[in-house]
Amino acid sequence: MTPEALRSHYPHTEHQTYLNHAAVSPMSRPVREAIDAYVGERHGADPDAPIANFESFFPVMEETKERLARVLGTDSARVEFVPNTSAGLNVLARGLDWEAGDRIAVPDGAFPTNVYPFLNLEAEGVEVDFVPTEEGAYTVDDVEDTLRPETRLLSVSWVHFLSGFRADLAALGALCEKHDVIFCVDAIQGLGALQIDVEAAGIDFLTAGGHKWLMAAQGIGVLYCAEALQDHLRPPTGWLHGPVDWEHLDEYELTFHDDARRFRTGTLNSVGVAALHAALGLYLEAGPEWCEERVLSLSGTLADELSDRGLPRYGPDAPAHASGIVTVAPDAPEALFEHLKAHGITGAVRNQKLRLAPTYYNDDADLGAILDAVDSFR
């Protein structure tokens, strides 16, 4: 697939420059078509379409999990759907048997999603220790200095939501293995833009929503749980966490699936699954390696050009920690944001800083539009 063919799947590019993929991404034509097809079937206008389409949709669900597993570097048995990142993190936070005095390490300045589920455990005597950071960045030594003998869990954001700092997952995974600490990753700001191998990195638990860099829909996401951790988690229960005996639904036996399906409590967001299936199909067709190279090239060029204009990047600029997020701290971030908006450019303001987040369908013309608008503002 050529970059031009890929870009043609995003009709908004004809009239605006969108650089807010770190918040919510536009849906491609294949994603909209998948949603329309699913809704059309459930709508029942076609007399041959099954309104109760559970069986006909099952292969789509299974293939979506296979695509997720391919992107994550694992087996589909280790993957399950969740509504969002918060729901995934709560599976872990509420699933472990905590004891008073247990500790959790989290980098400070993290997005609240990766903090509140663990702070909520303080009522059970669990303490949260914050790894010191500078503009979202930290070293493996900073993490190791924060760990204590009582630390049971380290939970990090793969990519910091504001500075774009990309954590060294492999090094952190090795550190957690050394100290016998569970390693959890909030991957929402990287998954779909950057490549990952959860097994090679030693990640025990990972979760992410699908509406940012995966460019699917809100209300659908992914959970990964390593097999070694699975049996140590008490799953939430509903009615799909285990095999369903349709002949004896009122004969209750609490039995869980032997894979990540045990974390499925009930009916899924099937529209969201259809969107995610299509989004992953387009992403895999484009090629994750190419997508990552494209994202890093665009964000790197944008950061350099903005720096040349007196707007240095907020956060580290080391290539090993780069991501798709470029944040700057102008004197008047809201005014610059509104100026860009008036020129058809969508970014975001977070913590009184301007955040821009290009992805792989963006091109040099998009960067030129931003830089021209910045020049006219100045």
Side-chain angles (χ1 to χ4, degrees):
M1 181 187 299
T2 65
E4 293 75 21
L6 176 64
R7 188 175 173 87
S8 71
H9 288 300
Y10 295 91
H12 72 278
T13 58
E14 298 173 4
H15 56 82
Q16 67 169 298
T17 301
Y18 193 86
L19 290 162
N20 199 21
H21 303 92
V24 62
S25 289
M27 294 180 181
S28 65
R29 282 194 171 93
V31 169
R32 176 174 178 173
E33 289 165 1
I35 292 173
D36 288 347
Y38 180 86
V39 173
E41 193 169 65
R42 292 290 311 279
H43 181 57
D46 182 349
D48 297 324
I51 293 176
N53 64 347
F54 298 107
E55 290 187 9
S56 63
F57 191 67
F58 183 78
V60 176
M61 292 171 52
E62 292 302 295
E63 187 173 37
T64 305
K65 290 181 66 173
E66 291 169 3
R67 290 177 177 180
L68 284 167
R70 179 179 167 188
V71 170
L72 291 169
T74 188
D75 185 87
S76 61
R78 300 288 96 232
V79 173
E80 184 49 59
F81 301 111
V82 290
N84 47 55
T85 310
S86 295
L89 288 172
N90 272 285
V91 168
L92 178 63
R94 307 312 306 183
L96 286 168
D97 290 324
W98 299 99
E99 296 180 0
D102 286 343
R103 309 188 80 89
I104 299 169
V106 179
D108 67 15
F111 196 77
T113 298
N114 196 35
V115 177
Y116 290 148
F118 306 119
L119 285 182
N120 196 34
L121 297 170
E122 290 184 339
E124 301 176 30
V126 177
E127 296 292 332
V128 176
D129 298 308
F130 288 99
V131 179
T133 67
E134 183 176 353
E135 296 188 353
Y138 55 90
T139 66
V140 176
D141 288 341
D142 292 330
V143 176
E144 188 163 29
D145 291 344
T146 305
L147 300 182
R148 303 187 185 186
E150 301 83 10
T151 304
R152 291 185 62 191
L153 171 69
L154 169 68
S155 187
V156 305
S157 300
W158 182 12
V159 174
H160 190 269
F161 79 100
L162 186 59
S163 72
F165 171 79
R166 175 172 44 149
D168 186 340
L169 298 183
L172 293 173
L175 178 69
C176 287
E177 183 178 11
K178 172 184 173 182
H179 290 277
D180 193 25
V181 170
I182 297 168
F183 184 29
C184 170
V185 175
D186 168 0
I188 195 169
Q189 291 292 6
L191 197 60
L194 309 173
Q195 295 182 95
I196 190 170
D197 188 322
V198 293
E199 295 185 5
I203 297 169
D204 297 302
F205 194 92
L206 175 147
T207 187
H211 62 283
K212 296 184 187 291
W213 302 90
L214 284 169
M215 293 194 282
Q218 293 168 306
I220 190 65
V222 59
L223 169 157
Y224 159 79
C225 183
E227 189 171 7
L229 175 62
Q230 176 179 285
D231 292 337
H232 296 283
L233 293 181
R234 182 175 61 256
T237 54
W239 71 284
L240 291 179
H241 55 258
V244 177
D245 184 352
W246 292 96
E247 302 299 325
H248 305 91
L249 288 173
D250 57 350
E251 296 181 11
Y252 310 118
E253 182 177 358
L254 190 61
T255 304
F256 295 100
H257 287 295
D258 60 4
D259 58 19
R261 288 175 298 166
R262 62 176 47 204
F263 302 115
R264 184 184 305 179
T265 55
T267 305
L268 294 173
N269 173 10
S270 296
V271 175
V273 173
L276 186 56
H277 178 266
L280 287 166
L282 190 59
Y283 174 59
L284 289 169
E285 184 180 355
E289 182 178 1
W290 178 84
C291 290
E292 178 179 283
E293 291 175 355
R294 181 83 165 176
V295 168
L296 294 178
S297 175
L298 289 168
S299 63
T301 299
L302 179 60
D304 290 343
E305 291 288 345
L306 289 174
S307 181
D308 290 344
R309 288 163 169 77
L311 293 172
R313 190 173 196 164
Y314 171 81
D317 57 5
H321 296 293
S323 69
I325 294 175
V326 177
T327 299
V328 295
D331 293 335
E334 293 284 356
L336 179 53
F337 168 79
E338 292 296 336
H339 177 78
L340 293 176
K341 186 176 178 181
H343 285 73
I345 299 164
T346 303
V349 173
R350 297 288 186 272
N351 289 10
Q352 289 304 299
K353 296 172 181 62
L354 178 69
R355 186 181 70 186
L356 301 169
T359 194
Y360 46 83
Y361 71 78
N362 289 117
D363 60 15
D364 292 338
D366 291 334
L367 299 192
I370 299 161
L371 297 173
D372 287 345
V374 170
D375 289 341
S376 67
F377 178 76
R378 295 179 63 82

